[in-house]
Amino acid sequence: MPENTWWKRGIVYQIYPRSFQDSNGDGIGDLEGIRRRLDHLAWLGVDAVWLSPFYPSPMADFGYDVADYCGVDPIFGSLDDFDRLIGEVHGRGLKLIVDFVPNHTSDQHEWFRESRSSRDNPKRDWYIWHDPAPGGGPPNNWNSNFGGPGWTFDEATGQYYYHAFLKEQPDLNWRNPKVRAAMHDVLRFWLRRGVDGFRVDVIWHLMKDEGFRDNPPNPAYQADQPDINRTLQIHSTDQPEVHGVIAGMRRVLDEFDDRVLIGEIYLPLDRLVTYYGENLSGAHLPFNFQLIHMAWRAGDIAALVEEYEGAIPPGGWPNWVLGNHDQTRIAARVGEAQARVAAMLLLTLRGTPTMYYGDELGIGRVEIPPDAVQDPWERNEPGLGFGRDPQRTPMQWDDSPSAGFTTGRPWLPLTPDHGTRNVAAMREDPGSILTLYRRLIELRRRHLALSVGDYVGAHADGQVFAYERRFGQERLLVALNFSHAAQTVPLPEGVAGAQVLLSTLASGEPAIHGQELALRPDEGVVLALD
Ligand code: NOJ
């Protein structure tokens, strides 16, 4: 594989298909809509698109409950639409990554219908069935990630089935070789259709403790946390055998040229990096979500970057994520001014960046009125702030009544300021965050130091984090002010001078006095060092 292959050099852009562009007026985005908006992605300059699920689904979890792995839900279009989309994506020199949801199916999947039909059905063992505990009740204390027990009793056959998420999402039994073979064929189905890789849903969940031992209580649990945090998921997730399963998927991808395997993994760093696999036989990119959960403080983030850089196994390639369809949007978390600093951080760190649609518009907190709630998690554990609707609101394209997203009624509300916070308006504004994203992407593309260069920590204090990116003779310094006050940063020793390549602020430039850089409040800069 070339040293700077596309998924190392490039930028991934996540699209939540329900929310990108509707083409038929039903208020829900679709594949044809995405195809019509490819100009935006080309203009922005990203390299690869990752699509959240578009497969046939009852939509209990908006497509993460798959009823047929080899089709397209009519809400999103057809396989022909998919083929047209991938053809045009490739025609523009972009790559297409699709979501693969192997941990669970929909309870409406044919496999599960068969499995639940009788205890001796040949597909019974494709899912995780257990007798009730000796005194009655669920077989163990495993919880659902969306609240409540992880086991549901099936009256007809007198056993419980396990579901790490909704009861409509029964977990597959990956210890069964037939399940593995069937799922490998699903991968091949899409690989042959030309997809360039997969983002694998909850990959660390795939294997469970063979003895189904209870999870221990979580001593740090607090009442404002989700139900799932009551216990530590040490027996229901992250089992040693999972790495064999992932290596099996990886072998399937390796039957094809230059495809990428990305794993969704929410684990601490030391566990996360094991997902590169023994001798890098695992995920090419175990998603690194550490920035999402880190306090937005220069010192903490600098320490995180150093720790991550130090933890990646030899030959492993880093990656960074600021948000996705499950997480509070970055601008909602750190505010509008710091969202621009966050953009610079994401696009100048060493490792593949994944952007989330709408972050380039700086979409922040969106209020979802109770009667507009869609997310099943919010419905199960209401009012606690776990709902994911705010980060799934439609993309805003122009100042028309539904922001150019649909001619109908959008499935989730738009932001109140969509008349100005939209692509058409912000493209024309040199000071917009959209323009900043585009410039950052262009800068990253122009300088190999930023995409594939080395990372060298330079300076960190309570307010500022600065680092170098180096490639060949080129040395770039990135200096980020995490505070709302002016700060100074020493330039690295021995540097004769520096030119500002880009500032996150709309106008003016930071001052360089001798060996010192003066950053304005909330400013990030990229400098070329002499
Ligand atoms: C992770 C996905 O990102 C999330 O949206 C989904 O609800 C769960 N996995 C279950 O598939």
Side-chain angles (χ1 to χ4, degrees), residues 376-408:
W377 193 0
E378 178 66 25
R379 292 201 168 133
N380 281 358
E381 297 188 78
L384 299 170
F386 310 145
R388 300 167 296 175
D389 293 328
Q391 51 265 32
R392 297 175 176 181
T393 62
M395 185 65 174
Q396 302 178 166
W397 299 102
D398 57 37
D399 64 0
S400 64
S402 292
F405 166 68
T406 179
T407 54

Side-chain angles (χ1 to χ4, degrees), residues 7-8 10-13 50 262 269 272 276 285-292 294 296 300-310 312 317-324 342-356 444 450-451 455 465 467 469:
W7 55 262
K8 291 188 176 174
I11 297 165
V12 179
Y13 182 99
W50 150 36
I262 305 176
L269 260 184
L272 172 67
Y276 285 99
L285 301 175
F287 254 151
N288 167 15
F289 297 130
Q290 308 292 314
L291 283 177
I292 293 176
M294 185 57 56
W296 199 250
D300 298 63
I301 292 191
L304 160 67
V305 173
E306 298 282 334
E307 197 189 338
Y308 179 62
E309 281 279 344
I312 296 169
W317 186 251
N319 75 91
W320 295 95
V321 182
L322 282 178
N324 59 40
M344 184 170 273
L345 176 72
L346 176 71
L347 290 162
T348 59
L349 281 172
R350 190 177 82 96
T352 307
T354 298
M355 290 175 55
Y356 184 51
R444 188 178 175 97
L450 289 178
S451 54
Y455 164 88
F465 173 29
Y467 46 92
R469 300 296 313 281

Side-chain angles (χ1 to χ4, degrees), residues 14 16 50 52 61 63-65 99 101 103-104 146 165-166 169 199 201-202 204 264 266 324-326 375-376 388 392:
Q14 180 190 354
Y16 195 65
W50 150 36
S52 282
D61 189 19
Y64 283 96
D65 47 327
D99 222 297
V101 190
N103 179 67
H104 42 267
F146 292 144
F165 294 89
L166 299 173
Q169 293 169 294
R199 171 272 191 188
D201 192 63
V202 294
W204 84 110
E264 185 204 21
Y266 287 95
N324 59 40
H325 62 291
D326 295 326
D375 183 19
R388 300 167 296 175
R392 297 175 176 181

Side-chain angles (χ1 to χ4, degrees), residues 143 201 292 341 466 523:
N143 285 328
D201 192 63
I292 293 176
V341 173
E523 180 171 44

